[in-house]
Amino acid sequence: MTALILALVAGAVIGLALGGLGGGGSVLAVPALIYLLHFTPAQATTASLVIVTLTSVTALTAHARDGNVAWRTGLLFAAAGIAPAIIAGAAAGHLPEALLTGAFAVIAALAALRMLQPAPTEPSGQVHPGKAGAAGAGLGAVTGILGVGGGFLAVPVLVNVLGLTMRRAVGTSLLVITINSLAALGARAGTGIQLDWAVIAPFTAAAILGAWDGKRLSRKIKGGTLQRVFAYVLLAVAAFMLVDVLV
C-alpha cells in the first residue's frame, strides 16, 4: 500500500511538471523510482522509458489536434536518434549502477542549468542538417541509456537549428521523445530487467492525469516562475544523487 501511494504521489508531481513546463519533468522519474520506490538504476531507467513513452503519446495527441506538430521534421530528427537509442538501451543493463546513477545526476544538473537560461530565441530560418543529425543522435543516446525523454535538449535544437517556432518545437519534441523511447524500450526487452508493473501502472496513470492539471496550472502561474522552481528542485536532486554515488 505504501508503494502504491508513493507511486501515485510521485507520478502526479512529475505529471504536473511535464504539463506545466512542456518538458523536463520526466527527469524526476528516475530518482523517484530509485529513492522512493527502491528500483535499481537499470530498473528505474527502463521503467522511466515506459512512463515517458505513454505520457508523451498522450501529450502528443493534444498538440497534434492543435496543429503544433511538424511531422516530417520530427520524423527526420528522430531517425538520427533511433540507432543510438537502441545501442544505448541495450548497453544500459550491463553498466555499473554507480555509473548509471552518476551519469544521470550530471544530465539532471545540465537540464536544470539549461532551464535557468533564457528561453530559445525565435527561429532565424536557417536550418543546419549536420547539426540537427548530431543533436538527434545525441538525444537518442541519452534517452536510451538514461531513460529520460530529453525534451529539455530537443526543444532548443528544434527552434534554433531546425527553425521551428517555440509552440511547434514543444509539440514536435514529443514526437521525437516517443520514437526514441520506444526504440530504447525495444532494445531493453531482451536484457532480462524485471519490472514491478504494480508500481509502474499507477505511477504512469498519475503522471498522465497530472500533466493535464499542469496545463491548467501553467495558465495561472508564469511559466518562468514554474521553470525556475523546478530547475532548483532538479539541481538539489542531482546534488543528492552525486553525493550518494561518491560517499
Side-chain angles (χ1 to χ4, degrees):
M1 182 61 72
T2 302
L4 175 60
I5 294 172
L6 287 173
L8 290 171
V9 172
V13 170
I14 289 163
L16 282 171
L18 280 166
L21 300 173
S26 61
V27 182
L28 279 180
V30 170
L33 290 165
I34 291 174
Y35 295 106
L36 294 180
L37 297 165
H38 309 296
F39 281 43
T40 67
Q43 289 173 330
T45 53
T46 304
S48 177
L49 286 170
V50 176
I51 296 163
V52 167
T53 299
L54 294 176
T55 306
S56 295
V57 166
T58 303
L60 175 62
T61 302
H63 282 273
R65 278 202 305 266
D66 295 336
N68 291 326
V69 179
W71 293 98
R72 186 171 182 273
T73 299
L75 289 171
L76 289 173
F77 185 78
I82 291 176
I86 292 173
I87 294 169
H94 304 288
L95 295 176
E97 292 187 359
L99 178 60
L100 274 178
T101 303
F104 186 91
V106 171
I107 290 295
L110 291 175
L113 293 174
R114 181 69 189 82
M115 289 177 186
L116 291 172
Q117 295 176 2
T121 57
E122 283 300 304
S124 63
Q126 295 181 330
V127 178
H128 306 280
K131 291 182 179 179
L139 179 63
V142 169
T143 300
I145 202 164
L146 298 180
V148 297
F152 61 91
L153 296 172
V155 171
V157 172
L158 289 167
V159 171
N160 294 324
V161 178
L162 294 182
L164 299 185
T165 63
M166 177 63 72
R167 191 180 295 259
R168 282 171 69 80
V170 170
T172 305
S173 74
L174 292 166
L175 172 63
V176 177
I177 290 165
T178 300
I179 293 172
N180 284 343
S181 298
L182 283 171
L185 270 176
R188 294 190 184 205
T191 59
I193 298 174
Q194 300 296 316
L195 298 179
D196 187 350
W197 292 102
V199 171
I200 295 172
F203 194 116
T204 304
I208 291 172
L209 293 174
W212 291 107
D213 290 333
K215 280 188 176 181
R216 289 194 290 269
L217 181 65
S218 66
R219 299 191 189 105
K220 299 178 181 179
I221 302 176
K222 290 183 178 179
T225 301
L226 277 175
Q227 188 159 309
R228 282 193 299 273
V229 170
F230 181 76
Y232 288 127
V233 170
L234 197 54
L235 275 176
V237 170
F240 175 82
M241 294 179 78
L242 280 174
V243 170
D244 184 56
V245 171
L246 297 173
V247 174

